Amino acid sequence: MKIANKQKVHYCDPYFFSPRHPITITVIGAGGTGSFLISRLARLDFALRQLEHPGLHVKVYDGDIIEPHNVGRQNFTRNEIGLYKASTMIEKVNFAFGLDWEADNIMVKPKDVTNSNIIVTCVDNAAFRMQLNDLIMKNYKISNRLDYTTSFYWLDCGNGKDFGQVVLSTMGKIKQPKNSEFELISDLRTVVEVFGDLGTFDNIESQGIENCSFRESIERQDLFINDMISNLASDMLWKLLRYKYLTHHGVVLNQGTLQQRGLIIK
């Protein structure tokens, strides 16, 4: 009699079950995807607090300012043109939800952001993401001393003209509980392990964007692709923090064909 394979499941670290302070999240990039994701994280924080969870504390890095062609395609308005993206988004959610989240209007290096529980990349810079992947693969290990500076997960958000993906990976092996029902997976693949060299996608033909007018931007990249990716990313975090385990660690979206496929844990 053939025995069916067990379903592969990843449980988040026990630290997330009863943290003594808000879960720390660093968001790199407050542009197309990041600007929408930040507002969704505020909603996620509110929902968690209603469930007697300490919620989230978010810090955002982005050195870019808001330009006319960003309005409408990103989560900004005309009266915000000329302001920094990171501090503008943080000021809005802090005012709306009574938070004390932080923003730093600078461009950072991968080695400078591995000091929060979850790192989220919302950048179209392939070199940054490849360097972060190398840092995780070669140098990073989850500390035995678990606190708000310990990095457990990397959530990468990427998109092109009318497609995108969200991939959640571990920063090291996560201790799994004893469970005979599932096959428990301690480490999740990074976006580079799933898709290979991200540099092959880092061009105008694939990304469909550059600094240009709104009309030119919208002809090169669909209007709602960034918002849709931010929705998938926030839903991934909600499932991780609310239910404490995942059966899929990513999503691939093709807006052109209206198809969506989950990345099963391997």
Side-chain angles (χ1 to χ4, degrees):
M1 178 178 173
K2 185 178 180 180
I3 300 176
N5 293 331
K6 293 182 180 180
Q7 183 177 24
K8 294 182 179 180
V9 169
H10 172 80
Y11 280 88
C12 68
D13 194 280
Y15 172 83
F16 288 85
F17 282 75
S18 55
R20 295 182 295 275
H21 47 69
I23 299 298
T24 53
I25 297 181
T26 296
V27 178
I28 314 300
T33 300
S35 61
F36 290 108
L37 179 61
I38 293 164
S39 61
R40 293 182 185 278
L41 290 178
R43 294 166 55 193
L44 176 55
D45 169 79
F46 181 83
L48 289 172
R49 291 178 188 273
Q50 304 314 299
L51 300 172
E52 300 182 348
H53 186 284
L56 311 175
H57 182 80
V58 175
K59 183 168 186 178
V60 179
Y61 290 94
D62 195 320
D64 284 343
I65 62 172
I66 302 162
E67 299 181 68
H69 67 273
N70 298 143
V71 177
R73 294 183 60 252
Q74 301 180 14
N75 200 8
F76 302 111
T77 59
R78 284 183 175 178
N79 66 324
E80 293 167 339
I81 293 173
L83 302 177
Y84 281 103
K85 293 180 179 181
S87 56
T88 297
M89 282 307 308
I90 287 300
E91 287 171 6
K92 288 197 287 191
V93 298
N94 281 351
F95 179 79
F97 288 88
L99 300 169
D100 60 350
W101 291 359
E102 304 173 71
D104 206 339
N105 300 314
I106 62 170
M107 301 298 187
V108 291
K109 296 180 180 180
K111 65 182 180 64
D112 298 324
V113 299
T114 54
N115 56 359
S116 62
N117 299 147
I118 302 173
I119 300 166
V120 184
T121 45
C122 301
V123 298
D124 54 12
N125 185 331
F128 182 97
R129 297 155 76 197
M130 294 292 290
Q131 289 170 18
L132 180 57
N133 180 81
D134 290 343
L135 179 65
I136 294 171
M137 294 292 101
K138 296 178 181 178
N139 303 318
Y140 193 85
K141 292 183 179 179
I142 296 177
S143 170
N144 291 326
R145 179 177 176 271
L146 306 181
D147 60 19
Y148 61 91
T149 65
T150 305
S151 295
F152 295 93
Y153 295 99
W154 169 25
L155 180 65
D156 181 74
C157 306
N159 67 272
K161 295 178 181 179
D162 58 1
F163 62 90
Q165 76 284 327
V166 173
V167 179
L168 180 74
S169 57
T170 51
M171 301 283 283
K173 291 186 180 298
I174 303 290
K175 183 178 180 180
Q176 299 292 288
K178 293 182 179 179
N179 191 314
S180 59
E181 182 180 357
F182 304 112
E183 180 181 349
L184 303 180
I185 306 300
S186 61
D187 53 338
L188 303 176
R189 296 173 297 160
T190 69
V191 64
V192 177
E193 291 178 298
V194 174
F195 295 106
D197 183 3
L198 302 179
T200 59
F201 304 101
D202 196 12
N203 54 71
I204 294 300
E205 289 74 22
S206 178
Q207 295 292 330
I209 55 173
E210 61 179 344
N211 291 333
C212 51
S213 69
F214 182 88
R215 179 181 292 274
E216 292 172 317
S217 297
I218 213 68
E219 288 175 350
R220 291 174 175 170
Q221 189 176 73
D222 281 352
L223 179 60
F224 295 113
I225 184 64
N226 294 116
D227 199 8
M228 295 177 74
I229 294 300
S230 73
N231 182 39
L232 295 173
S234 55
D235 185 63
M236 180 75 64
L237 291 178
W238 166 251
K239 287 181 169 57
L240 180 72
L241 298 177
R242 176 70 177 99
Y243 302 110
K244 309 304 181 187
Y245 75 93
L246 298 170
T247 57
H248 294 73
H249 73 114
V251 184
V252 177
L253 171 70
N254 188 322
Q255 194 177 6
T257 60
L258 300 179
Q259 292 181 316
Q260 180 176 309
R261 178 174 62 86
L263 297 176
I264 60 173
I265 292 174
K266 294 184 178 180

